[in-house]
Amino acid sequence: MELPFAESWKIKMVEPIRKSTREEREQWIKEAHYNVFQLKSEQVYIDLITDSGTGAMSDRQWAGMMLGDESYAGATSFFKLKEMITKLTGFEYIIPTHQGRAAENVLFSYLVHEGDIVPGNSHFDTTKGHIEGRHATALDCTIDAAKHTQLEIPFKGNVDPDKLQKALTEYAERIPFIIVTITNNTAGGQPVSMQNLHEVRAIADKYGKPVLFDSARFAENAYFIKMREEGYQDKTIKEITREMFSLADGMTMSAKKDGIVNMGGFIATRRADWYEGAKGFCVQYEGYLTYGGMNGRDMNALAIGLDENTEFDNLETRIKQVEYLAKKLDEYGIPYQRPAGGHAIFIDAPKVLTHVPKEEFPAQTLTIELYLEAGIRGCEIGYILADRDPVTHENRFNGLDLLRLAIPRRVYTDNHMNVIAAALKNVYERRESITHGVRIAWEAPLMRHFTVQLERL
């Protein structure tokens, strides 16, 4: 008999979580203006709002924190982190920051200017915000298949080479770089193939343009390449990682995902001009160059986390739990972005709440319904997150409208996955009775989903 799959770790410490009543949740979500970001953590039973900074660190990481060097300049912790990043990526210039959006802010302050066009595959919220906030344009060149949630292809996060070629033909002089998000979060945690990364590099070289990777989940992307792409089955995650980054000029990293730390990020590049141009903004916005926005103890934990999470067993345990939840949803007929992503399940909200018009934000409505059902906090990745068009100021309804259930690393058990699936089943079974959504009462001009205030209709 073949042995069943089990985790590649054992539990050493636990944290209590509390259940609440439907009546309590009705009151709490109303006080939060129907925005789950405004809920208190103790009002949440299972928290799937993000996998960013919410993972459980290993014993080695906790031990490393005790050895953190908190020197203002030249800390040994920085050089440990720099050595690990260079080993994994080949990039020699490293700037630590307090998280991924800070890395974008520092680097884009140097690279992005008014009127620029930055093509890529479904820029995530902060990336798009940092581009549009500088009066530039984030141009989506993702393959069209990503918009068809029930289509099952292995690399749904890919850049469309024809769209990218067209962008460079039309706007070459306005394009400072090409950005590739690995994995593609907005499209549903979908990976980008190594073949596609080679295609992007070839097009970039043809026009003399640099390539930047948004690398928050690069290790999960490497796992999918190993599992799904011909010729990589016998390569290690670290070998695949090195090949991926050989095709880029630099990276921004939210280390709170695949680095499995609670806070941290960095810029890494092989280009001395990018480093020289960005480092002044690091000092201005983040801190001195050898700590940026990070403590020494966090840099130690990150160096260890990057090492551990580029090993196959760790990634397999994590991604198989996401697959487990997906299989439960398959049993109940609940539509999600297929195949299951690396870090989350993305429920196709308009296919669930068929009576809620797009103007009433189906994914946000489904997010609220799931919270009311069982105290489970997901996150809308859809029409609210898309913000308004910076020119017309109209809501953007041209993308997917998804409820993201992001699974923290090494935090919840499969029993929690069963609760999530059952709660979604309950909402799905009463979907015909959900005919109205929400409207925006107040919003910020950029990245509105974090602070938006809503009213139920």
Side-chain angles (χ1 to χ4, degrees):
M1 179 181 177
E2 186 179 350
L3 295 176
F5 182 80
E7 290 78 11
S8 62
W9 39 262
K10 59 184 180 180
I11 296 166
K12 187 177 283 190
M13 184 174 70
V14 296
E15 175 187 347
I17 52 177
R18 104 173 249 270
K19 295 179 182 177
S20 56
T21 65
R22 171 90 185 201
E23 291 72 22
E24 286 176 320
R25 295 192 294 274
E26 290 272 8
Q27 181 64 30
W28 292 335
I29 194 69
K30 183 179 180 182
E31 290 170 354
H33 301 283
Y34 299 97
N35 180 353
V36 293
F37 280 97
Q38 306 302 313
L39 291 168
K40 297 174 182 174
S41 63
E42 64 262 31
Q43 296 169 341
V44 176
Y45 177 45
I46 300 174
D47 202 348
L48 310 180
I49 197 168
T50 185
D51 62 320
S52 178
T54 57
M57 291 199 299
S58 71
D59 52 356
R60 284 182 62 219
Q61 286 180 288
W62 281 109
M65 289 186 76
M66 295 298 102
L67 300 173
D69 179 357
E70 306 302 341
S71 302
Y72 185 91
T76 57
S77 296
F78 167 76
F79 292 103
K80 288 177 186 174
L81 176 60
K82 181 179 186 295
E83 182 182 2
M84 180 56 64
I85 295 169
T86 303
K87 177 183 171 184
L88 292 173
T89 67
F91 298 142
E92 60 180 301
Y93 300 106
I94 315 297
I95 298 176
T97 61
H98 78 270
Q99 63 183 100
R101 69 193 64 184
E104 291 170 342
N105 188 40
V106 168
L107 186 59
F108 291 8
S109 292
Y110 171 63
L111 289 179
V112 180
H113 302 96
E114 185 171 348
D116 283 352
I117 294 171
V118 183
N121 59 336
S122 310
H123 314 65
F124 199 56
D125 57 356
T126 61
T127 315
K128 184 158 61 98
H130 282 302
I131 293 168
E132 292 182 349
R134 289 170 170 81
H135 305 287
T137 300
L139 183 65
D140 186 8
C141 296
T142 312
I143 59 171
D144 290 336
K147 289 188 177 180
H148 302 286
T149 60
Q150 302 313 290
L151 183 66
E152 192 134 1
I153 60 172
F155 292 101
K156 227 171 181 176
N158 280 356
V159 177
D160 186 319
D162 294 333
K163 290 181 185 178
L164 182 61
Q165 177 80 45
K166 183 174 184 288
L168 283 158
T169 302
E170 293 181 12
Y171 308 116
E173 71 284 353
R174 294 170 62 189
I175 293 175
F177 58 89
I178 298 158
I179 189 164
V180 186
T181 308
I182 50 175
T183 57
N184 185 333
N185 190 6
T186 308
Q190 297 296 314
V192 180
S193 71
M194 191 73 82
Q195 179 186 344
N196 189 243
L197 295 176
H198 278 279
E199 289 169 341
V200 170
R201 181 78 256 178
I203 294 168
D205 287 345
K206 177 181 173 183
Y207 289 88
K209 298 296 180 183
V211 177
L212 179 73
F213 286 175
D214 177 348
S215 310
R217 300 175 182 88
F218 76 90
E220 291 172 12
N221 202 86
Y223 172 91
F224 284 121
I225 288 173
K226 179 177 174 68
M227 301 304 289
R228 297 179 182 175
E229 193 161 1
E230 190 176 345
Y232 290 92
Q233 283 75 17
D234 296 329
K235 291 187 181 291
T236 67
I237 298 297
K238 284 182 168 66
E239 287 169 338
I240 295 168
T241 293
R242 277 300 287 257
E243 184 177 340
M244 287 194 308
F245 285 114
S246 74
L247 302 169
D249 295 276
M251 65 188 287
T252 56
M253 175 79 182
S254 170
K256 299 165 67 177
K257 286 86 167 174
D258 273 351
I260 321 188
V261 289
N262 303 125
M263 189 58 70
F266 58 86
I267 301 160
T269 181
R270 66 179 88 258
R271 293 182 60 129
D273 60 325
W274 280 13
Y275 176 73
E276 293 298 326
K279 70 182 186 182
F281 292 105
C282 175
V283 173
Q284 182 179 345
Y285 296 142
E286 290 287 293
Y288 184 62
L289 292 171
T290 56
Y291 75 90
M294 295 186 72
N295 301 308
R297 56 185 175 272
D298 290 331
M299 287 191 281
N300 272 11
L302 175 52
I304 295 163
L306 289 169
D307 186 30
E308 291 181 341
N309 205 39
T310 47
E311 293 297 329
F312 180 79
D313 286 352
N314 212 42
L315 289 163
E316 183 184 40
T317 299
R318 187 271 192 296
I319 290 170
K320 280 201 175 293
Q321 186 173 57
V322 179
E323 288 176 4
Y324 176 85
L325 177 56
K327 286 172 184 170
K328 298 297 291 185
L329 299 187
D330 287 339
E331 289 177 29
Y332 304 145
I334 298 169
Y336 59 88
Q337 174 68 294
R338 308 178 70 90
H343 71 286
I345 296 291
F346 292 72
I347 309 297
D348 189 338
K351 281 186 165 59
V352 175
L353 301 183
T354 54
H355 299 310
V356 177
K358 67 179 186 295
E359 293 83 6
E360 295 179 16
F361 306 107
Q364 183 64 25
T365 304
L366 186 58
T367 303
I368 294 163
E369 291 293 338
L370 180 61
Y371 175 72
L372 291 172
E373 180 68 33
I376 297 164
R377 176 161 66 170
C379 178
E380 188 255 27
I381 305 289
Y383 301 149
I384 292 180
L385 178 139
D387 280 336
R388 295 181 184 271
D389 185 285
V391 177
T392 66
H393 302 293
E394 294 294 322
N395 283 312
R396 290 188 270 208
F397 294 119
N398 56 336
L400 293 168
D401 194 37
L402 306 169
L403 161 57
R404 185 185 72 178
L405 305 173
I407 313 299
R409 292 158 185 82
R410 304 186 293 214
V411 169
Y412 293 116
T413 69
D414 286 353
N415 285 330
H416 293 103
M417 301 303 111
N418 293 335
V419 172
I420 297 159
L424 277 167
K425 179 176 184 282
N426 290 346
V427 175
Y428 188 64
E429 287 178 344
R430 58 180 173 82
R431 65 192 183 278
E432 296 293 328
S433 67
I434 303 169
T435 56
H436 292 290
V438 293
R439 75 171 188 89
I440 295 173
W442 178 88
E443 64 187 292
L446 271 178
M447 292 185 267
R448 64 184 180 181
H449 56 290
F450 290 113
T451 55
V452 68
Q453 295 181 7
L454 303 164
E455 293 174 356
R456 293 198 89 177
L457 295 167

